[in-house]
């Protein structure tokens, strides 16, 4: 559960700065071919601490992009200010005296031509309160939260302090109460990430200015405090190394011995030894051999695991979440001989429960020479292979004996492999023709048999290695090879064990959209087990092609069964409630053959029918050229906004700007989106005017087959005395942008300008559920909201995200939600289910100001089987 001080709360408005006249830099130049994208032109501008700066880049020759690095801080970027392809702009405040680095570039490698760059010092923002206190190394500050300080909307008092960074060595911030009540504290590093504290102590390990926000737990309280910022050598003698997530590595050098190939079960408890930062921890010692690479895994169903490895030379490795789960895993190349400390711990103090720690050797396939020495690979001729591991077999670099089998599978074929043995713990490695590798040790249900299920990515020889979990294990085994193309039909139809090949003369005909087949169900045709006559067809479609299959008959009630190359079965009886005709839509075809069964709803029905293969509804899918376009279908457009660094007087939020950047980047990396179809607004760019301009620009580009994704991570608030009759509580909700609120009513108006097949709204902000009634008002809109309309939303610190929705929707949209079935096509139902499931697993105990946070999903008129896009 995250403390209320880490939640996203309503924030007050601030004034907008006005540009001054005297420029610090005014320069014209020309970008040469090749300086776009990876290349750049850079200027250094001396600035003073506290300077408020505006940087403007314009060009009529190319799409300019601007990157600015203030002294002692990270880089800020902007492309397309207020939707303009000719201007980029940033506003920054220099937290210290130094050099402002200004870089001119472009999203396009081919960009070239003239540009103008200008840097202005602008008048200071007229703040509602005094500027924040500056605390240097070795300094101290005494203060009091009381009437007259900045006041949050709920009546709590707050103060802000800017802290020096660890430019000359690590620092420790200590915050102590001077009275009976302690202040609540948030400390944020220069990247916008919250730093966890223990007993009021916060480790400052990054260079650059940090920010501390102190506030009272209740409205109207008076709280006294004192702060000191000391070098680590003075604050904590011989302080242990600090990890990326602010865990401190253990000082103890003893522990339980663990070896490669060993699995250890343990438990963290309140009585366990703890890291200096408070997290419970067990320490294991692993003797390493130089050149060896080991894989260390830590799994627990009871707590969020955290794994650290410390080498004898001081080098260390760490991992929190592996593969989007709460389990941890590290591949560690061992550079030197000696004892490596393996630390099984938790993400935060107070967690406890059972865990499993597993250490294994990095697996490698036998070399060609090793295969030849062992007599060459074995070729499978049956669906079951009996073999044995024995001395003299091929040996893996990590010492395990191995047998190699070469098996041929077709693209799209669903494959089930199982290595069974009562003599040893089996281990399977499968390498596909394109070198994609699958590994497994133990299958489901606690068995030590290795099991791998996968869909072949391409046709050809697959190399299957049967080996053991530990070196030198021997004994007999059986390798079972099967598929899972059989499935149960629905609504009164059952497919016979082997319904194909087809008794119909049209079987195997190449399918082209627009193809039409005339046929007749008649006595003497093949029949399903449940008695219905059936005709079978085989069709291959172009990969990614949308196909609409329709079965029509006036003589009987048609029933259609389609089995995909990967084994998914799709049935349909009545396409609409008003017709008996059947139909199946394939949004994005797989490689391989589709099996189509034409049958009837009732046994014994006969008569003529027409089977049509028409062009389906186009959906977005990756561009073949990698440019983010869609080949023959709709396209994805996105407006992504996130604010970490709010103006003075408004509490900052960790990671929110990164939430927006990461989601946009994830969709670009999937080739579903490119920069010409996105608007990305972070921090000072995320203004009300820029939001309106972004909607206007994208609305002018979108068409009725496209998908629009709107995402926001930041503060949210409420305003009473609403005149909207839909607000039965009399309260409007708003998202708080960098310069003020954007009400739910206006957001509904902005969405009215969007003409897209589907619009996805994702708001990670306090009270965001109140937007549903104003935005999800027309067909084709679906909303995901991080909390109900009267509930706050928490920061998801354990996932390094501004909020739970921000983290999980990124995982969902990058493919993890594609699970039911796993067919590389994302539906609205899969997206909703994934988000519900993740909130249920990871956010059930998040309680803020007496209310629990829950995901709100409003699908409006959008059906769960609506397709968003394909990953093919």
């Amino acid at each position: 559960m995250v403390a209320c001080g880490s939640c996203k709360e309503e924030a007050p408005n601030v004034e907008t700065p006005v540009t001054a006249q005297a420029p610090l830099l005014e320069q014209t130049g020309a970008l040469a071919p090749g300086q776009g994208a990876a290349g750049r032109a850079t200027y250094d501008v001396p600035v003073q601490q506290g300077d408020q700066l505006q940087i403007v880049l314009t060009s009529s020759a190319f799409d300019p992009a601007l990157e600015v690095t203030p002294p002692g801080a990270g880089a800020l970027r902007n492309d397309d200010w207020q939707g303009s392809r000719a201007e980029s702009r940033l506003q920054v405040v220099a937290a210290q005296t130094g050099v402002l680095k200004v870089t001119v570039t472009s999203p396009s490698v081919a960009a070239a031509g003239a540009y103008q760059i200008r840097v202005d010092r602008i008048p200071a923002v007229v703040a509602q309160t005094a500027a924040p206190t500056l605390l240097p190394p070795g300094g101290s500050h005494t203060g009091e939260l009381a009437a007259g300080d900045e006041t949050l909307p709920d009546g709590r008092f707050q103060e802000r302090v800017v802290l020096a960074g660890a430019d000359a060595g690590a620092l420790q911030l200590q915050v102590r109460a001077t009275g009976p009540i302690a202040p609540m504290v948030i400390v944020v590093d220069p990247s916008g990430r919250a730093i966890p504290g223990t007993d009021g102590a916060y480790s400052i390990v990054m260079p650059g200015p940090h920010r501390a926000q102190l506030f009272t737990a209740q409205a109207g309280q008076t709280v006294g405090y004192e702060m000191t910022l000391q070098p680590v050598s003075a604050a904590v003698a011989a302080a242990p190394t600090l990890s990326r997530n602010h865990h401190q590595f253990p000082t103890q050098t003893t522990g339980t011995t663990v070896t490669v190939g060993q699995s250890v079960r343990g438990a963290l408890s309140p009585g366990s030894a703890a890291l200096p930062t408070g997290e419970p921890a067990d320490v294991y010692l692993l003797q390493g051999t130089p050149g060896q690479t080991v894989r260390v895994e830590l799994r627990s169903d009871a707590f969020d695991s955290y794994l650290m490895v410390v080498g004898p030379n001081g080098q260390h490795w760490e991992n929190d979440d592996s593969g989007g789960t709460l389990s941890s895993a590290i591949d560690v190349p061992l550079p030197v001989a000696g004892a490596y400390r393996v630390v099984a711990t938790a993400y935060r103090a107070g967690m406890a429960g059972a865990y499993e720690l597993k250490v294994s050797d990095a697996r490698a396939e036998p070399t060609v020479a090793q295969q030849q020495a062992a007599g060459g690979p074995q070729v499978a001729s049956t669906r079951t292979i009996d073999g044995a591991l024995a001395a003299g077999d091929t040996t893996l670099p990590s010492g395990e004996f191995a047998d190699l089998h070469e098996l041929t599978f077709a693209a799209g074929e669903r494959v089930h492999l199982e290595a069974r043995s009562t003599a040893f713990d089996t281990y399977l490695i499968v390498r596909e023709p394109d070198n994609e590798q699958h590994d497994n040790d133990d299958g489901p249900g606690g068995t030590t048999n290795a099991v791998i299920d996968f869909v072949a990515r391409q046709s050809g020889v697959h190399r299957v290695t049967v080996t053991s979990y530990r070196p030198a294990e021997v004994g007999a085994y059986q390798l079972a090879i099967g598929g899972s193309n059989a499935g149960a039909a629905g609504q009164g139809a059952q497919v016979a064990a082997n319904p194909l090949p087809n008794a119909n003369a049209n079987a195997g005909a190449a399918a082209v959209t627009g193809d039409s087949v005339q046929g007749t169900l008649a006595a003497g045709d093949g029949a399903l087990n449940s008695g219905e006559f059936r005709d079978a067809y085989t069709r291959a479609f172009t990969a990614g092609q949308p196909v609409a299959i329709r079965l029509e008959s006036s003589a009987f009630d048609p029933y259609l069964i389609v089995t995909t190359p990967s084994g998914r079965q799709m049935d349909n009886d009545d396409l609409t409630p008003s017709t008996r005709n059947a139909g199946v839509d394939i949004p994005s075809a797989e490689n391989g053959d589709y099996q189509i069964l034409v049958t009837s709803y009732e046994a014994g029905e006969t008569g003529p029918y027409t089977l049509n293969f028409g062009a389906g509804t186009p959906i977005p899918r990756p561009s073949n050229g990698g440019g983010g376009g869609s080949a023959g279908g709709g396209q994805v457009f996105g407006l992504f906004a996130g604010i970490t660094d709010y103006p003075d007087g408004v509490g900052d939020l960790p990671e929110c700007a990164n939430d927006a950047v990461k989601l946009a980047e994830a969709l670009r990396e999937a080739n579903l989106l490119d920069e010409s179809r996105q608007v990305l607004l972070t921090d000072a760019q995320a203004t009300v005017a820029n939001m309106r301009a972004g909607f206007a620009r994208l609305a002018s580009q979108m068409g009725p087959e496209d998908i629009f994704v709107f995402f926001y991570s930041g503060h949210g608030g409420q305003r009473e005395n609403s005149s909207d009759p839909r607000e039965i509580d009399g309260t409007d909700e708003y998202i708080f942008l960098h310069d003020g609120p954007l009400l739910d009513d206006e957001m509904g108006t902005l969405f009215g300008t969007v003409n897209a097949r589907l619009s996805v709204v994702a708001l990670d902000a306090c009270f965001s559920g109140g937007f549903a009634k104003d935005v999800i008002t027309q067909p084709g809109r679906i909303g995901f909201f991080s909390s109900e309309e009267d509930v706050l939303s928490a920061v998801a610190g354990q996932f390094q995200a501004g909020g739970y929705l921000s983290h999980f929707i990124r995982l969902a949209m990058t493919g993890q939600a594609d699970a039911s079935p796993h067919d590389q096509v994302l539906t609205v139902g899969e997206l909703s289910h994934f988000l519900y499931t993740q909130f249920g697993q990871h956010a059930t105990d998040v309680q803020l100001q007496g209310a629990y946070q829950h995901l709100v999903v409003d699908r409006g008129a959008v059906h769960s089987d609506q397709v968003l896009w394909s990953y093919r």
Side-chain angles (χ1 to χ4, degrees):
M1 185 171 68
V2 179
C4 218
S6 298
C7 65
K8 302 174 181 180
E9 300 183 9
E10 179 179 2
N13 201 351
V14 296
E15 296 184 11
T16 304
V18 180
T19 305
Q21 298 302 314
L24 298 179
L25 171 72
E26 188 169 21
Q27 183 78 42
T28 58
L31 203 66
Q35 282 188 285
R40 52 195 61 210
T42 303
Y43 300 88
D44 291 342
V45 182
V47 296
Q48 300 297 314
Q49 181 179 357
D51 279 352
Q52 301 195 40
L53 307 165
Q54 178 170 274
I55 306 96
V56 180
L57 170 65
T58 57
S59 175
S60 59
F62 62 91
D63 180 6
L66 180 63
E67 182 177 300
V68 174
T69 305
L76 303 171
R77 298 173 180 83
N78 177 251
D79 180 29
D80 303 340
W81 174 258
Q82 294 188 346
S84 170
R85 301 300 296 279
E87 179 179 344
S88 296
R89 179 184 302 197
L90 283 168
Q91 292 184 0
V92 301
V93 177
Q96 64 187 58
T97 298
V99 174
L100 179 83
K101 294 186 178 297
V102 180
T103 299
V104 177
T105 182
S106 172
S108 171
V109 178
Y115 63 81
Q116 182 179 48
I117 183 73
R118 176 170 172 150
V119 179
D120 289 288
R121 182 183 288 113
I122 59 179
V125 175
V126 181
Q128 293 178 329
T129 61
T133 301
L134 300 176
L135 188 60
S140 62
H141 167 67
T142 301
E144 184 179 62
L145 297 168
D149 286 336
E150 298 178 56
T151 304
L152 296 174
D154 59 4
R156 292 180 295 155
F157 303 129
Q158 75 162 355
E159 290 183 3
R160 294 161 296 112
V161 178
V162 175
L163 314 169
D167 301 83
L171 303 169
Q172 186 183 76
L173 172 70
Q174 183 72 50
V175 183
R176 301 180 180 89
T178 57
I181 303 174
M184 301 185 72
V185 184
I186 302 175
V187 180
V188 180
D189 67 25
S191 67
R193 233 179 96 185
I195 299 173
T198 302
D199 296 327
Y202 301 83
S203 296
I204 309 297
V205 295
M206 292 181 64
H210 292 56
R211 297 186 300 275
Q213 180 184 359
L214 299 95
F215 48 95
T216 58
Q218 297 179 11
Q221 278 183 333
T222 297
V223 175
Y225 66 89
E226 62 178 3
M227 307 174 68
T228 58
L229 186 63
Q230 300 291 333
V232 167
S233 57
V236 181
T241 305
L242 196 69
S243 79
R244 288 191 300 270
N245 281 310
H246 303 279
H247 291 63
Q248 288 182 327
F249 286 92
T251 55
Q252 73 181 80
T253 57
T254 59
T256 304
T257 299
V258 66
T259 60
V260 175
Q262 186 175 357
S263 179
V264 178
R265 297 186 183 274
L268 298 181
S269 67
S272 298
L275 303 180
T277 42
E279 299 83 7
D282 288 342
V283 177
Y284 297 85
L285 297 182
L286 171 69
Q287 290 296 323
T289 302
Q292 185 181 23
T293 298
V294 299
R295 181 169 181 81
V296 186
E297 300 171 81
L298 179 62
R299 307 169 184 165
S300 176
D301 295 328
F303 61 89
D304 184 355
S305 64
Y306 196 93
L307 181 62
M308 300 188 288
V309 177
V310 185
N313 61 350
Q315 186 175 0
H316 58 268
W317 301 261
E318 59 191 292
N319 178 256
D320 175 21
D321 300 325
S322 174
T325 72
L326 293 181
S327 296
S328 306
I330 308 175
D331 289 321
V332 184
L334 307 183
V336 297
Y340 289 74
R341 286 179 291 164
V342 178
V343 185
T345 182
Y347 181 78
R348 60 178 181 261
M351 290 183 167
Y355 65 81
E356 180 183 20
L357 178 73
K358 198 169 189 177
V359 182
S360 59
D361 204 306
R363 298 283 162 158
E365 282 194 308
T367 64
V368 173
Q370 288 172 325
Q371 296 168 24
Q372 292 172 345
Q378 304 170 43
V379 179
S381 57
T382 65
R383 304 308 292 175
T384 302
I385 301 173
D386 293 318
L389 295 184
D393 283 347
T394 299
T395 304
L396 300 182
S398 45
E400 297 84 6
F401 299 125
D403 286 346
L404 178 68
H405 306 268
E406 292 192 341
L407 306 173
T408 300
F409 303 115
E413 184 175 352
R414 179 166 290 177
V415 181
H416 174 83
L417 299 173
E418 183 171 355
R420 308 164 182 158
S421 176
T422 58
F424 61 90
D425 184 354
T426 59
Y427 195 102
L428 265 177
I429 306 170
V430 177
R431 190 176 292 275
E432 298 197 53
D434 62 358
N435 282 327
E436 175 79 9
Q437 183 169 313
H438 311 271
D439 292 62
N440 179 258
D441 172 25
D442 299 330
T447 175
T448 58
N449 293 331
V451 177
I452 294 179
D453 289 289
F454 69 100
V455 177
R457 293 152 57 91
Q458 59 185 144
S459 299
V461 174
H462 292 60
R463 303 167 70 193
V464 179
T465 300
V466 178
T467 181
S468 61
Y469 180 72
R470 296 179 179 85
E473 289 187 306
V474 296
Y477 68 83
Q478 184 180 72
L479 176 64
I481 306 106
S484 53
N485 288 328
Q491 264 180 307
Q494 292 184 342
V495 182
N498 294 293
L500 299 177
N502 176 17
N504 190 298
N506 287 309
V512 179
T513 53
D515 180 18
S516 181
V517 177
Q518 305 291 327
T520 302
L521 286 184
D525 285 345
L528 304 180
N529 291 341
S530 46
E532 297 85 2
F533 299 123
R534 54 98 175 139
D535 285 345
Y537 299 84
T538 301
R539 289 292 187 268
F541 306 111
T542 302
Q545 177 184 14
V547 181
I549 304 175
R550 298 293 182 263
L551 174 62
E552 301 174 358
S553 176
S554 58
F556 61 89
D557 186 354
Y559 194 100
L560 185 62
I561 304 172
V562 177
T563 303
T564 70
S566 61
R568 178 191 178 194
Q569 182 171 303
M570 298 176 285
D571 295 23
N572 181 255
D573 174 24
D574 300 328
L575 188 61
T576 67
S578 60
T579 178
R580 298 198 310 171
N581 294 327
V584 168
D585 291 316
I586 301 169
S588 181
E590 303 174 24
N591 283 318
D593 290 336
Y594 283 75
Q595 314 298 339
I596 297 102
L597 288 182
V598 173
T599 184
S600 60
Y601 182 76
E602 298 287 351
E605 290 186 299
T606 59
Y609 61 83
T610 301
L611 180 64
N612 293 307
F613 300 93
T617 301
I619 63 164
R621 58 191 177 94
S623 164
N624 291 331
S630 180
Q635 295 180 314
V636 178
F637 291 78
L639 199 167
F640 310 93
I643 308 177
T644 288
D645 188 8
Y646 275 89
D648 290 347
V650 182
D652 290 337
L653 291 170
E655 297 291 347
C656 290
N658 284 338
D659 292 340
V661 172
K662 289 177 181 177
L663 181 57
E665 183 180 69
L667 291 175
R668 291 198 307 271
E669 289 178 350
N671 284 331
L672 290 165
L673 179 71
D674 65 31
E675 293 191 358
S676 68
R677 300 196 308 275
Q678 77 166 45
V679 172
L680 177 60
L681 304 174
T682 58
D683 293 335
Q685 306 164 28
T687 63
V688 174
N690 286 353
M691 186 71 75
R692 293 167 180 161
F695 265 93
R697 175 187 141 193
L698 296 180
S700 68
Q701 296 176 250
M702 278 183 277
E705 301 296 338
D706 295 325
I707 303 293
F708 176 48
V709 177
F710 176 81
F711 171 82
Y712 170 80
S713 178
H715 278 303
Q718 292 183 308
R719 177 176 294 178
E720 296 180 351
N721 302 318
S722 172
S723 60
D724 188 341
R726 292 172 297 189
E727 301 286 1
I728 59 175
D729 61 354
T731 304
D732 282 312
E733 283 71 41
Y734 61 82
I735 56 174
F736 194 83
L737 300 178
H738 200 268
D739 61 343
L742 180 73
L743 286 172
D744 47 12
D745 297 330
E746 180 173 1
M747 186 175 289
T749 300
L750 291 173
F751 269 90
T753 67
V754 174
N755 177 28
R757 178 170 65 87
L758 282 177
S759 291
V760 179
V761 188
L763 301 183
D764 201 339
C766 293
F767 317 118
S768 56
F771 279 78
K773 63 175 70 73
D774 297 277
V775 178
I776 314 303
T777 58
Q778 298 292 329
R781 300 181 193 172
I782 177 172
F784 299 98
F785 308 100
S786 61
S787 58
E788 294 158 308
E789 67 177 311
D790 59 344
V791 177
L792 302 174
S793 292
V795 171
Q798 71 266 47
F799 296 112
Q800 292 81 58
Y804 291 94
L805 178 60
S806 300
H807 176 67
F808 296 133
I809 201 165
R810 177 168 58 87
L811 297 182
M813 289 187 169
T814 52
Q816 291 195 31
D818 170 34
S820 182
H822 182 52
D823 59 356
Q824 294 184 288
V825 174
L826 181 63
T827 66
V828 169
E830 287 176 320
L831 178 57
S832 301
H833 178 70
F834 180 84
L835 294 176
Y836 273 128
T837 302
Q838 297 303 311
F839 263 73
Q841 290 179 355
H842 305 300
T844 54
D845 63 343
V846 177
Q847 185 180 18
L848 302 170
Q849 294 187 356
Y852 286 95
Q853 179 182 351
H854 294 287
L855 176 70
V856 175
V857 177
D858 191 337
R859 290 197 285 107
V862 177
H863 294 291
S864 62
D865 59 357
Q866 286 258 21
V867 174
L868 288 165
W869 51 68
S870 166
Y871 299 102
R872 300 194 187 110

